Amino acid sequence: MHKPKGDAITSLHDLSAVDLLAGYRGKQFSPSEVLEDIISQVATWEPHIKALYLYDPEGARKVARAATERWQQSEPVGTLDGVPVTIKDNVATKGQPVPLGAASVKLAPAEKDAPPAARLREAGCVIFSKTTMPDYGMLSSGLSSFHPLTRNPWDVSKNPGGSSAGAGAAGAAGYGPLHLGTDIGGSVRLPASWCGLVALKPSLGRVPIDPPYVGRVAGPMTRTVDDAALMMSVLSRPDRRDGMSLPALEVNWKALEKSPRKLRIGLMLDAGSGQKVEKEVREVAVEAAKAFESAGAVITEIDGILTPEMLEGLDNFWRARTWDELSKLSQADRGKTLPYILNWAEAGAKLSGVDVVRGFNQTMAIRAAAAKLLCEVDYVISPVSPVVNFPAEFAAPLNDPAKPFEHICFTVPWNMSENPALSINGGYDKKGFPIGVQIIGRRFDDIGVLGMGKAFEGLRGPQKPWPTPPKK
């Protein structure tokens, strides 16, 4: 146990990375002690939520012991020396398979760390586990043909979201402070919203990734904005393997103090397409806008930018892309894919080349609409998800492969337009389930978006305690 502030006693597994590093520096506790507390937390929670893949406590103990020795000599190896971290299944780690959450993928050890994993390892992180995801990352769900069903710690009958499902569940359950996810349509922000976390989808290219793809980013999933910024200071370091990566940014990731005074903020309560926003979700977004208004921001309600044609176009493009991958497999291997995903992707075989190009072209239409909108406002506030939650067993809130992306209406535009977007807990429903708020900024203004999130942490109401494991 640790007493960081006042009289509150906080378990080591609940401490932020910022507080862990301060504790290591002050020799209040060691990386080995922190890891043991997390191992104990995993033992209590994991039977209920199934968030982890390739969990390796013994390997992590060796890394933590080495970090403990370095801190005893006051000679840390990097920015995050001794801080525990999990890494999503689809981010390659040397010597370990990358199943992409799919039983249809042949397992082979990765030759080297992908850029985000390499940066975290270089910084001294204790990588103790990978985390679960759905098949090919094409669901915002904890459902997978390869991994066990991942559940939400706030309510184990509910879905943690995805595709960074295990990362979201692990963050809420207190499996340490830092979790790495990826996002191509909402995959760090949606689970963060449903699990009460902070998650940044950076500007495209800000965090080098391999393999790179249109709209695909890796980003931090944490409990605090400060920890997300700390993680970004490491993840944003350059790597030539990503041909879409941005030039190295000379930025002080700790400089997050940002006043909302006189900023023009657009409040987007209707995405323009997709699922209808539930009442409690809408109320939380409105309250967030009012909080910023009380701090001097100028709030204007704005229309959404996502048209039904855009959403349908993305659906067609992604169906064709996924079918391209599945069509290369033998019929037996293809049959191992989650039926929902297979059913959805098979429709891609019937699309014409023109249909697919027309679908891809919607990414450019979204980019143009986003740029136009952010000429008029400095930041946008919106819901992250239109729904409060949905059952753990569902592949998506509607659970209908004919309408697979209605719930990503607030998140996917910012992948296609390359804007930074932050999910942060805004409030709770009547039963105490978390509801996220999204803050979007102009391209490359990642630090500004984090600064707005930091300001919101100071403006929002008191947060509920993190969930505790169900009684046996």
Side-chain angles (χ1 to χ4, degrees):
M1 305 293 267
H2 173 61
K3 236 180 171 182
K5 292 170 189 167
D7 296 320
I9 295 176
T10 306
S11 298
L12 293 177
H13 66 259
D14 277 331
L15 288 181
S16 69
V18 171
D19 283 342
L20 287 182
L21 291 165
Y24 296 162
R25 211 170 286 116
K27 299 187 168 50
Q28 294 171 276
F29 45 77
S30 71
S32 290
E33 290 171 298
V34 170
L35 180 65
E36 290 307 319
D37 202 41
I38 289 170
I39 288 170
S40 174
Q41 186 74 350
V42 169
T44 311
W45 259 117
E46 193 58 9
H48 303 286
I49 61 171
K50 308 286 192 207
L52 302 184
Y53 170 60
L54 297 179
Y55 176 46
D56 182 16
E58 288 312 312
R61 282 180 170 123
K62 289 179 191 168
V63 177
R65 275 197 296 274
T68 294
E69 288 169 14
R70 289 192 293 270
W71 278 109
Q72 283 168 352
Q73 304 299 318
S74 297
E75 293 176 353
V77 75
T79 308
L80 297 171
D81 202 2
V83 177
V85 68
T86 70
I87 294 178
K88 188 176 175 180
D89 154 348
N90 65 341
V91 177
T93 44
K94 186 178 179 181
Q96 296 179 314
V98 187
L100 306 176
S104 49
V105 170
K106 289 266 194 297
L107 299 184
E111 289 183 15
K112 54 178 73 172
D113 286 339
R119 298 298 85 77
L120 292 169
R121 209 184 295 276
E122 289 160 7
C125 280
V126 179
I127 302 169
F128 67 92
S129 189
K130 304 295 284 285
T131 51
T132 62
M133 63 181 284
D135 293 46
Y136 302 100
M138 290 312 298
L139 297 177
S140 188
S141 173
L143 191 63
S144 160
S145 64
F146 180 81
H147 300 296
L149 179 65
T150 303
R151 295 175 178 272
N152 193 314
W154 289 91
D155 178 345
V156 293
S157 75
K158 302 301 181 190
N159 211 294
S163 63
S164 305
Y175 293 8
L178 304 182
H179 306 275
L180 178 75
T182 63
D183 190 315
I184 200 169
S187 290
V188 298
R189 288 159 292 159
L190 287 162
S193 174
W194 288 316
C195 292
L197 301 176
V198 171
L200 177 68
K201 183 212 78 69
S203 300
L204 186 79
R206 178 56 61 221
V207 174
I209 194 167
D210 184 32
Y213 199 73
V214 177
R216 183 172 188 246
V217 302
M221 299 175 69
T222 62
R223 289 183 170 186
T224 68
V225 174
D226 281 343
D227 271 6
L230 178 63
M231 214 169 164
M232 281 297 294
S233 73
V234 169
L235 294 172
S236 61
R237 290 171 187 166
D239 194 301
R240 288 192 181 95
R241 286 177 283 174
D242 184 353
M244 298 164 80
S245 64
L246 298 172
L249 183 68
E250 292 302 319
V251 63
N252 179 4
W253 289 97
K254 291 181 182 176
L256 296 182
E257 297 309 319
K258 187 177 184 74
S259 169
R261 186 168 165 72
K262 294 189 177 175
L263 287 175
R264 299 169 301 164
I265 297 178
L267 174 61
M268 184 186 289
L269 296 171
D270 182 339
S273 185
Q275 267 179 277
K276 190 167 185 271
V277 176
E278 292 177 355
K279 182 171 178 284
E280 287 175 299
V281 172
R282 181 188 173 91
E283 287 169 353
V284 165
V286 168
E287 284 304 309
K290 286 179 180 174
F292 279 114
E293 191 171 45
S294 73
V298 179
I299 308 292
T300 308
E301 194 163 337
I302 57 173
D303 294 329
I305 61 170
L306 191 72
T307 65
E309 292 76 21
M310 289 171 178
L311 200 56
E312 184 185 357
L314 290 177
D315 184 6
N316 284 342
F317 170 52
W318 280 335
R319 282 181 201 250
R321 177 181 174 239
T322 307
W323 179 248
D324 175 46
E325 293 300 317
L326 293 176
S327 67
K328 295 169 188 170
L329 302 177
S330 69
Q331 194 166 352
D333 283 343
R334 191 160 61 240
K336 297 173 187 174
T337 309
L338 198 69
Y340 180 102
I341 289 288
L342 191 55
N343 182 299
W344 167 74
E346 278 176 334
K350 300 183 182 74
L351 294 168
S352 71
V354 172
D355 291 332
V356 178
V357 170
R358 197 173 280 147
F360 179 79
N361 283 345
Q362 293 301 331
T363 66
M364 303 309 294
I366 292 169
R367 178 192 289 262
K372 184 179 177 186
L373 171 62
L374 283 150
C375 288
E376 307 300 323
V377 296
D378 300 305
Y379 295 94
V380 173
I381 289 173
S382 80
V384 182
S385 156
V387 303
V388 174
N389 54 39
F390 63 105
E393 297 78 11
F394 278 19
L398 292 179
N399 208 33
D400 178 0
K403 294 181 176 178
F405 299 130
E406 305 295 302
H407 63 288
I408 66 172
C409 51
F410 285 105
T411 51
V412 72
W414 316 113
N415 293 81
M416 299 305 120
S417 64
E418 305 183 10
N419 295 71
L422 184 83
S423 175
I424 185 167
N425 192 49
Y428 305 86
D429 75 352
K430 291 181 181 67
K431 295 180 180 176
F433 196 90
I435 298 172
V437 169
Q438 186 172 218
I439 302 170
I440 303 110
R442 296 188 177 119
R443 286 174 74 213
F444 317 131
D445 186 23
D446 302 69
I447 196 76
V449 166
L450 286 165
M452 291 292 283
K454 177 77 172 169
F456 183 62
E457 281 180 333
L459 293 167
R460 72 184 175 188
Q463 297 295 283
K464 294 186 182 298
W466 291 97
T468 52
K471 292 186 172 56
K472 290 179 182 175

